[in-house]
Amino acid sequence: MLVVMKANATEAEIENVVAVLRENRNKPERLPGHTRVAIGVMGNKEYVRQDDILRLPGVAEVIEVTKKYKRVSREFHPQDTLVKVGQAVFGAGQPVMIAGPCSVESEEQVLSTAHMLKSEGVHILRGGIFKPRTSPYFFQGIGYAGLKHLQKARAETGLPICVEIMATEDIDLYKDEVDMIQVGARNMQNFDLLKKLARIQTPVLLKRGHAAYLEEFLMAAEYLLDGGNHNVVLCERGIRTFETSSRNTLDLNSVALMRTLTHLPVIVDPSHAAGRHDMVPPLARAAIATGVHGLIVETHPNPSKALSDANQQLDFDQFRDLMRQIRHLAAALPDLYSPEAIAHA
Ligand code: PEP
Ligand code: MN
């Protein structure tokens, strides 16, 4: 339940509503808004009649929050949430670009990629150091040594770094060493990991599981918000459907739906959705046309030699061409992207 106070409600009126809700065994929580205060009531059981609350002085309306993911829902929080990573802000009018190799392989690979990305106006450098691979015999990542390469690239270019976390034991390290923590598709419902990431404030890039319903995805995000971390960016990266002709199926339906269901920023990963490099530009363009808040794209100096996801990584020329297309497309969509934000990208 959400109790929306009138814009001119006094502090005493707000406190009175909170007190009445508490008396009735609810757990009210103040949610300050731009123009007026709202009071959220968490939990599935509410012990108070809506009509009784509506009658209290200063109350404008009482809204039943029907969604299971309350804090993530737009009903609870109508304004868009902005998430800041370095200088980039997801949800602030320009598509935020995250790019880099699937896996960190060597210092040289990461540095050359980072410099190319920086000169192309990319905002965040990505790279996996522990890789979630389907087979234990596939390349597993170079581990902590990879973090040093990413940090060197950050020092040289100023690009913040986004790194996938696999183990809860790494949270203490990541929270200070990484600018954005990726929770991959395979860990979307690792509730222990989510609960622990909820206790820190480092922004989380939460990817949708390849077999997760949209509601399950949003409830996974609810774990993060409910535990206190509101810096969450959602990522659609393709789901499994009956269609097997490409790696996954990019679910743009859900991307469009999420704009109405949630206040959190939503980005798209065309690389894992497609599984092949030639499909990345068209899927990226389609995502931008829906108004996504950003993209995450894999790129490698020599994709055919990549130790993971070789088929889907763009080489540098292909990546530059994609950036040119994205810039033009975003500039042609002033209803979705603010021209001033793009000019300063
Ligand atoms: C990745 O980003 O390299 C990755 C493993 O992504 P996903 O979790 O979406 O498969
Ligand atoms: Mn990958």
Side-chain angles (χ1 to χ4, degrees):
M1 186 168 74
L2 191 64
V3 183
V4 183
M5 301 300 293
K6 291 179 180 157
N8 61 359
T10 64
E11 190 52 35
E13 287 170 340
I14 297 168
E15 276 307 312
N16 180 48
V17 173
V18 170
V20 170
L21 287 166
R22 277 214 189 99
E23 267 168 33
N24 289 281
R25 291 190 288 155
N26 289 286
K27 289 203 180 75
E29 192 178 316
R30 280 175 73 143
L31 307 163
H34 290 319
T35 51
R36 46 198 193 161
V37 168
I39 300 158
V41 183
M42 288 300 155
N44 291 326
K45 236 184 162 59
E46 283 139 17
Y47 300 96
V48 71
R49 288 193 26 223
Q50 286 194 21
D51 283 355
D52 294 344
I53 299 295
L54 203 49
R55 257 187 241 118
L56 296 174
V59 173
E61 55 180 326
V62 177
I63 302 168
E64 189 66 54
V65 179
T66 50
K67 303 284 186 297
K68 291 181 192 151
Y69 44 89
K70 299 200 187 295
R71 293 177 194 276
V72 162
S73 77
R74 236 188 230 286
E75 292 171 21
F76 214 94
H77 188 290
Q79 300 95 13
D80 283 348
T81 285
L82 305 183
V83 176
K84 196 165 186 295
V85 178
Q87 299 301 309
V89 185
F90 291 86
Q94 68 164 308
V96 174
M97 295 297 297
I98 309 175
C102 177
S103 298
V104 173
E105 296 167 9
S106 69
E107 180 180 302
E108 211 273 309
Q109 171 226 22
V110 172
L111 293 184
S112 64
T113 307
H115 283 285
M116 183 278 288
L117 298 178
K118 177 71 183 179
S119 68
E120 284 301 308
V122 165
H123 306 92
I124 301 170
L125 170 65
R126 65 148 285 151
I129 58 174
F130 293 103
K131 297 301 299 178
R133 305 307 301 281
T134 311
S135 164
Y137 306 120
F138 293 162
F139 175 65
Q140 301 286 311
I142 64 170
Y144 299 113
L147 191 54
K148 294 275 169 279
H149 302 330
L150 288 165
Q151 288 175 329
K152 185 160 185 199
R154 176 173 63 188
E156 288 190 10
T157 61
L159 291 176
I161 56 177
C162 173
V163 187
E164 178 168 357
I165 193 160
M166 298 264 284
T168 48
E169 305 90 85
D170 282 337
I171 293 178
D172 276 349
L173 174 74
Y174 275 48
K175 83 176 191 310
D176 299 322
E177 308 280 331
V178 160
D179 304 291
M180 183 175 219
I181 301 178
Q182 176 173 321
V183 175
R186 290 155 192 82
N187 271 311
M188 187 205 85
Q189 284 188 318
N190 180 340
F191 299 117
D192 189 41
L193 184 63
L194 295 175
K195 282 181 192 166
K196 287 178 178 145
L197 287 170
R199 293 197 212 124
I200 62 171
Q201 291 303 308
T202 309
V204 173
L205 178 63
L206 180 65
K207 296 185 101 180
R208 180 181 181 182
H210 33 49
Y213 289 125
L214 184 56
E215 191 177 58
E216 292 170 328
F217 183 29
L218 297 175
M219 283 197 279
E222 186 79 9
Y223 272 88
L224 295 166
L225 270 66
D226 187 50
N229 191 346
H230 294 249
N231 298 314
V232 177
V233 175
L234 301 168
C235 179
E236 159 60 34
R237 44 78 75 207
I239 52 171
R240 275 194 186 152
T241 65
F242 60 82
E243 181 55 73
T244 54
S245 54
S246 55
R247 187 175 183 185
N248 290 292
T249 298
L250 181 61
D251 184 9
L252 286 180
N253 278 24
S254 290
V255 171
L257 252 180
M258 280 191 275
R259 290 304 288 269
T260 64
L261 296 178
T262 179
H263 53 90
L264 294 174
V266 176
I267 72 164
V268 156
D269 174 346
S271 306
H272 291 87
R276 34 187 289 180
H277 66 85
D278 58 342
M279 282 176 64
V280 171
L283 295 186
R285 291 193 302 263
I288 290 292
T290 71
V292 281
H293 300 110
L295 296 175
I296 178 166
V297 176
E298 288 187 342
T299 178
H300 189 284
N302 188 353
S304 63
K305 292 272 185 303
L307 299 178
S308 59
D309 287 347
N311 293 341
Q312 70 197 31
Q313 305 209 52
L314 302 184
D315 68 24
F316 289 0
D317 283 344
Q318 290 164 337
F319 186 81
R320 287 190 196 98
D321 193 50
L322 175 66
M323 284 300 288
R324 181 188 58 77
Q325 295 183 43
I326 299 302
R327 274 193 298 272
H328 286 170
L329 192 52
L333 295 167
D335 291 342
L336 301 180
Y337 300 106
S338 107
E340 305 81 58
I342 289 161
H344 293 109

